[in-house]
């Protein structure tokens, strides 16, 4: 009977770990845009930071829709849904307007 209870506790712990992993993944995606399904796999190797930044056209097959970073809010959006205004990329037209309305552009960050 104790084994059963132990299994239940293990299940909850596993779910909690998954949630934590997912959050770490979202944070790691700010560094490199890895659009993959590493959710239902191993619990290790979710965070890789030895990838570097300049991985533009390496051996990895380039995605048809790479993620780009919004210059206003920092959210990553697919390129097809992004808006390019004055060399800056935005997730929506609203942010492009906000960014253009700023006096100098980058004083907050
Ligand atoms: Zn935005």
């Amino acid at each position: 009977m104790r084994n059963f209870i132990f299994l239940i506790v293990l299940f909850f712990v596993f779910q909690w770990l998954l949630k934590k992993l997912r959050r770490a993944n979202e944070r790691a995606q700010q560094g490199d845009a890895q659009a993959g399904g590493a959710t239902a796999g191993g619990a290790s190797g979710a965070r890789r930071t030895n990838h570097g930044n300049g991985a533009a056209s390496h051996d990895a097959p380039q995605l048809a829709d790479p993620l780009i970073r919004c210059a206003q809010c920092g959210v990553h959006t697919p390129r097809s849904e992004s808006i390019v205004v004055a060399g800056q990329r935005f997730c929506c037209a609203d942010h492009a307007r906000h960014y253009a309305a700023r006096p100098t552009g980058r004083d907050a960050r």
Side-chain angles (χ1 to χ4, degrees), residues 25-100:
N25 252 348
E26 278 176 8
R27 270 198 193 172
Q29 269 192 358
Q30 283 192 357
D32 55 350
Q34 241 192 12
T39 48
S44 65
R47 202 190 274 191
R48 280 186 196 172
T49 42
N50 56 353
H51 218 277
N53 279 342
S57 60
H58 243 341
D59 49 353
Q62 215 168 4
L63 294 174
D65 226 12
L67 291 179
I68 60 164
R69 196 167 175 271
C70 174
Q72 171 71 18
C73 66
V75 158
H76 284 80
T77 40
R79 201 169 160 205
S80 59
E81 297 176 19
S82 69
I83 298 167
V84 179
V85 177
Q88 300 286 340
R89 283 149 182 174
F90 305 95
C91 64
C92 56
D94 212 32
H95 283 173
R97 234 177 295 141
H98 270 280
Y99 193 84

